[in-house]
């Protein structure tokens, strides 16, 4: 039985897709067009507390201490509706309090950590006993990339073809990997074209979309082999190439649109210049202007110093691989 006095708090970390997902074959179930593979990050995360409250007649949602409205509110309610359906409790409502330690909607996959944390906390608040695979499926219904934030390390989201077969799982632990990510924050404001809109436009209008699917599937197999061999160079190269190909889809859509700013291009060029100087690092960029730099520990401080001078230290954050879903005592 649900207990109004038992708040449940879950923490989920963001992930950076090294091989991207860009486009859905089923919008409602959020079934992707291709497999993706990510690395879960430590520094960026969402803490979400969910409490069943029998006095409520609708869900109450706070996001970063503000009352959620519009589509932000509706996306939370939509996921809670699925939880209610699974728990067979259609008229139970929840207090949700979510705090993002991630810039929202600026290309840092804040929706991944947000919906993974929501799925985890809400399922326990509703007395559902879900294993990690089931939790991954549930999180996917809120945001596709959230399916990957249930797990630590290198995580593969299997495309599947229905709700049962589309889920993520850990491919390999990153515990014994020498890999880190330096996040370069170039813009904190909400992006003008949401990932959801951008994907739809790319799938339906880019003449290169079918080629993207073939290349992304090839990238998955190649990067898994590189992970098995602890081959940082190949992991970095595939990640940078895959990211640029994804953004080529946005440029080739009709109408074309661009997540990059001029500064994004500058940072990519800076990363390539560092490589020419013998400091190995690689760029990856999600649906936004902000750049992430893949590097190894021996080069991290040099790269940080370089970008601190360009962007200011408050906009340069180093993170190591992060953990999977956690439950916090409040």
């Amino acid at each position: 039985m649900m207990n109004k006095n038992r708040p449940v708090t879950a923490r989920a970390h963001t992930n950076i897709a090294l091989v991207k997902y860009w486009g859905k074959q089923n919008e409602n179930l959020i079934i992707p067009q291709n497999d993706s593979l990510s690395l879960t990050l430590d520094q960026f995360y969402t803490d979400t507390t969910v409490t069943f409250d029998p006095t409520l007649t609708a869900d109450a949602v706070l996001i970063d201490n503000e009352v959620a409205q519009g589509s932000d509110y509706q996306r939370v309610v939509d996921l809670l509706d699925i939880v209610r359906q699974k728990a067979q409790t259609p008229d139970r409502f929840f207090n949700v309090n979510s705090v993002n330690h991630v810039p929202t909607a600026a290309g840092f996959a804040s929706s991944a950590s947000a919906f993974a944390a929501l799925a985890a906390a809400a399922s326990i608040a509703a007395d559902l006993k879900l294993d990690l695979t089931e939790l991954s499926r549930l999180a996917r219904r809120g945001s596709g990339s959230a399916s990957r934030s249930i797990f630590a390390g290198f995580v593969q989201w299997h495309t599947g073809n229905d709700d049962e077969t589309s889920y993520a799982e850990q491919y390999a632990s990153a515990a014994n990997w020498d890999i880190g990510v330096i996040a370069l924050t170039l813009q904190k404001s909400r992006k003008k074209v949401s990932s959801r809109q951008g994907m739809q436009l790319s799938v339906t209008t880019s003449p290169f979309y079918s080629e993207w699917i073939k290349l992304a599937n090839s990238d998955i197999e190649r990067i898994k082999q590189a992970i098995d061999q602890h081959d940082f160079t190949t992991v970095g190269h595939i990640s940078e190439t895959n990211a640029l190909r994804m953004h080529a889809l946005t440029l080739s859509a009709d109408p074309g649109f661009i997540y990059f700013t001029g500064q994004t291009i500058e940072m990519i060029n800076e990363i390539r210049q560092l490589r020419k100087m013998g400091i190995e690092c690689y760029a990856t960029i999600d649906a936004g202007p902000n750049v992430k730099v893949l590097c190894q520990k021996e080069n991290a401080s040099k790269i940080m110093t370089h970008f601190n001078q360009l962007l200011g230290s408050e906009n340069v954050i180093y993170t190591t691989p992060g953990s999977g879903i956690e439950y916090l005592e409040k």
Side-chain angles (χ1 to χ4, degrees):
M1 175 63 72
M2 298 188 196
N3 186 338
K4 69 175 180 177
N5 298 318
R6 187 182 161 224
V8 180
T9 302
R11 172 173 292 176
H13 292 79
T14 63
N15 64 79
I16 180 68
L18 307 179
V19 174
K20 313 290 188 191
Y21 123 76
W22 192 248
K24 305 178 184 76
Q25 53 176 297
N26 183 312
E27 290 282 339
N28 180 44
L29 293 176
I30 311 187
I31 309 293
Q33 294 268 6
N34 61 277
D35 279 27
S36 54
L37 190 140
S38 63
L39 178 65
T40 303
L41 303 177
D42 183 57
Q43 283 285 325
F44 307 112
Y45 58 90
T46 301
D47 290 341
T48 299
T49 302
V50 178
T51 314
F52 164 60
D53 186 342
T55 68
L56 291 175
T57 56
D59 297 309
V61 181
L62 279 181
I63 299 175
D64 294 333
N65 298 314
E66 293 187 5
V67 176
Q69 296 177 325
S71 63
D72 288 343
Y73 176 77
Q74 193 57 50
R75 286 182 73 184
V76 172
V77 170
D78 288 347
L79 192 71
L80 293 175
D81 283 343
I82 297 167
V83 170
R84 281 185 276 268
Q85 184 182 12
K86 286 180 179 293
Q88 298 182 323
T89 52
D91 48 2
R92 306 281 179 126
F93 297 100
F94 299 92
N95 268 306
V96 177
N97 187 350
S98 186
V99 179
N100 281 313
H101 299 268
V102 193
T104 301
F108 273 87
S110 57
S111 64
S113 56
F115 281 100
L118 176 63
S123 61
I124 289 189
D127 285 334
L128 288 172
K129 294 176 173 60
L130 304 183
D131 64 26
L132 291 177
T133 301
E134 292 168 322
L135 201 53
S136 177
R137 290 191 196 106
L138 175 60
R140 189 199 76 236
R141 299 292 297 275
S143 169
S145 53
S147 65
R148 300 187 305 246
S149 278
I150 301 299
F151 301 94
F154 296 99
V155 180
Q156 182 176 0
W157 175 14
H158 301 283
T159 304
N161 49 37
D162 57 18
D163 187 46
E164 189 71 17
T165 55
S166 186
Y167 59 89
E169 63 180 348
Q170 186 187 73
Y171 177 72
S173 169
N176 55 355
W177 253 81
D178 180 7
I179 190 168
V181 175
I182 298 169
L184 309 179
T185 302
L186 309 179
Q187 186 176 300
K188 292 181 181 175
S189 59
R190 190 178 283 260
K191 59 202 178 199
K192 292 185 175 67
V193 180
S194 72
S195 296
R196 202 164 275 198
Q197 292 169 311
M199 286 182 198
Q200 287 174 338
L201 199 54
S202 299
V203 172
T204 54
T205 68
S206 171
F208 309 133
Y209 194 80
S210 59
E211 199 61 31
W212 154 260
I213 296 295
K214 290 179 202 167
L215 290 167
N217 288 333
S218 169
D219 286 344
I220 284 281
E221 295 313 311
R222 289 168 57 228
I223 205 167
K224 284 164 66 175
Q225 189 175 32
I227 290 167
D228 292 344
Q229 296 168 352
H230 280 244
D231 180 353
F232 173 77
T233 300
T234 302
V235 166
H237 174 75
I238 291 170
S239 300
E240 183 169 299
T241 305
N242 180 270
L244 294 175
R245 285 172 176 166
M246 186 200 95
H247 284 275
L249 295 175
T250 76
L251 290 162
S252 59
D254 185 7
F257 59 100
I258 303 170
Y259 288 118
F260 289 1
T261 62
Q263 209 174 16
T264 307
I265 304 288
E266 287 172 22
M267 294 308 108
I268 294 169
N269 286 333
E270 290 291 337
I271 289 163
R272 292 183 166 184
Q273 192 59 39
L274 286 170
R275 277 211 300 272
K276 281 185 183 173
M277 294 162 55
I279 301 170
E280 191 175 17
C281 55
Y282 300 89
T284 184
I285 309 108
D286 280 337
N290 299 314
V291 178
K292 274 68 75 177
V293 189
L294 300 177
C295 66
Q296 293 175 295
K297 198 177 291 178
E298 64 177 322
N299 290 320
S301 61
K302 294 177 201 167
I303 299 166
M304 291 278 288
T305 300
H306 182 79
F307 286 109
N308 285 345
Q309 291 168 351
L310 293 173
L311 301 171
S313 58
E314 70 278 9
N315 296 314
V316 182
I317 302 171
Y318 177 68
T319 180
T320 50
S323 57
I325 204 79
E326 304 168 271
Y327 296 95
L328 310 179
E329 294 295 328
K330 281 282 184 181

